[in-house]
Amino acid sequence: GAGVSQSPSNKVTEKGKDVELRCDPISGHTALYWYRQSLGQGLEFLIYFQGNSAPDKSGLPSDRFSAERTGGSVSTLTIQRTQQEDSAVYLCASSPGQGGYYEQYFGPGTRLTVT
Amino acid sequence: SQQGEEDPQALSIQEGENATMNCSYKTSINNLQWYRQNSGRGLVHLILIRSNEREKHSGRLRVTLDTSKKSSSLLITASRAADTASYFCATDNNQGGKLIFGQGTELSVKP
């Protein structure tokens, strides 16, 4: 079946603009994760959704970052007033259940460049 | 903050040789996973080892876990040029399944 998809694959935006990144998880996967990968910081956890539970937002770097997951499926990561340090590859992953005993299936990522 | 430290940061070997990558972590874990990332692409899960396991095999991959030393190793036997990629360890600290990744080892296998 289809894997995790993300759009856009690349996004170039000007400093100060808002951006939305989209993730379509694998159908039926209840858990959805957002990570960020940058040269200086490696792979960082951002936010995690599991079913109808409140999301774990502990990795979001500032209040400019927010995410939602509608209908337990598609998720959107929004970055407001983008800064140059937000430039990174944003990776989405989904898994069949909660907890680290499930492997996570990653999408190809969105490369965000803030000029 | 990053949990895992990996070494070496980069490894270059000839096809047919074995490649060993190491990962150390700081806090107690439920399990440890290894992922592979080809340049410019998403991560692919390789293997998961639980905290009560010491060794696990999958094809040409062998993973060990030493919880007393808080370390793990990934061995790729009889390497191929197609194994060229970055390899990451990731730990689950029983915090809802979010993974804490190491910095990764960049493996180059020369034909």
Side-chain angles (χ1 to χ4, degrees):
Chain A
V4 177
S5 61
Q6 293 186 245
S7 61
S9 55
N10 284 284
K11 175 73 177 178
V12 180
T13 190
E14 291 180 353
K15 178 181 172 180
K17 296 282 179 75
D18 298 352
V19 295
E20 283 190 353
L21 312 179
R22 177 186 169 107
C23 172
D24 283 84
I26 293 173
S27 177
H29 280 193
T30 58
L32 186 148
Y33 306 82
W34 283 97
Y35 297 89
R36 176 169 76 172
Q37 185 174 30
S38 57
L39 279 175
Q41 299 297 322
L43 268 155
E44 303 172 278
F45 164 78
L46 296 177
I47 187 169
Y48 153 63
F49 296 89
Q50 168 58 35
N52 296 320
S53 303
D56 177 349
K57 305 178 183 180
S58 59
L60 294 179
S62 78
D63 58 9
R64 296 186 295 105
F65 287 72
S66 63
E68 62 177 22
R69 188 179 184 192
T70 54
S73 180
V74 172
S75 177
T76 302
L77 177 69
T78 301
I79 309 173
Q80 296 178 309
R81 305 181 301 282
T82 52
Q83 303 293 313
Q84 288 187 328
E85 62 261 29
D86 299 335
S87 296
V89 176
Y90 289 81
L91 293 164
C92 174
S94 69
S95 67
Q98 180 181 0
Y101 292 111
Y102 296 92
E103 69 175 90
Q104 294 184 16
Y105 296 79
F106 281 79
T110 293
R111 182 175 296 277
L112 175 66
T113 304
V114 182
T115 61
Chain B
S1 62
Q2 294 297 321
Q3 153 96 305
E5 297 289 334
E6 294 186 58
D7 78 87
Q9 290 187 336
L11 178 62
S12 182
I13 59 175
Q14 293 294 129
E15 209 166 27
E17 294 180 339
N18 295 342
T20 300
M21 289 159 271
N22 302 297
C23 167
S24 61
Y25 55 91
K26 297 174 184 174
T27 64
S28 62
I29 61 171
N30 275 343
N31 62 66
L32 186 145
Q33 303 185 32
W34 284 89
Y35 286 81
R36 163 193 167 128
Q37 184 179 37
N38 286 70
S39 179
R41 295 177 180 270
L43 281 79
V44 174
H45 179 266
L46 295 177
I47 199 165
L48 181 154
I49 186 164
R50 300 186 181 213
S51 59
N52 61 353
E53 296 177 313
R54 293 296 167 258
E55 188 170 313
K56 204 160 183 181
H57 297 253
S58 176
R60 293 183 297 112
L61 306 180
R62 172 176 169 254
V63 168
T64 62
L65 179 64
D66 186 335
T67 52
S68 66
K69 295 181 180 177
K70 293 187 170 58
S71 67
S72 173
S73 68
L74 170 68
L75 168 67
I76 304 174
T77 61
S79 64
R80 306 167 182 167
D83 294 330
T84 295
S86 292
Y87 292 82
F88 294 88
C89 68
T91 54
D92 161 40
N93 306 341
N94 195 25
Q95 295 182 43
K98 69 185 185 189
L99 295 176
I100 308 298
F101 285 85
Q103 295 290 344
T105 292
E106 197 171 317
L107 174 66
S108 173
V109 182
K110 301 185 189 310

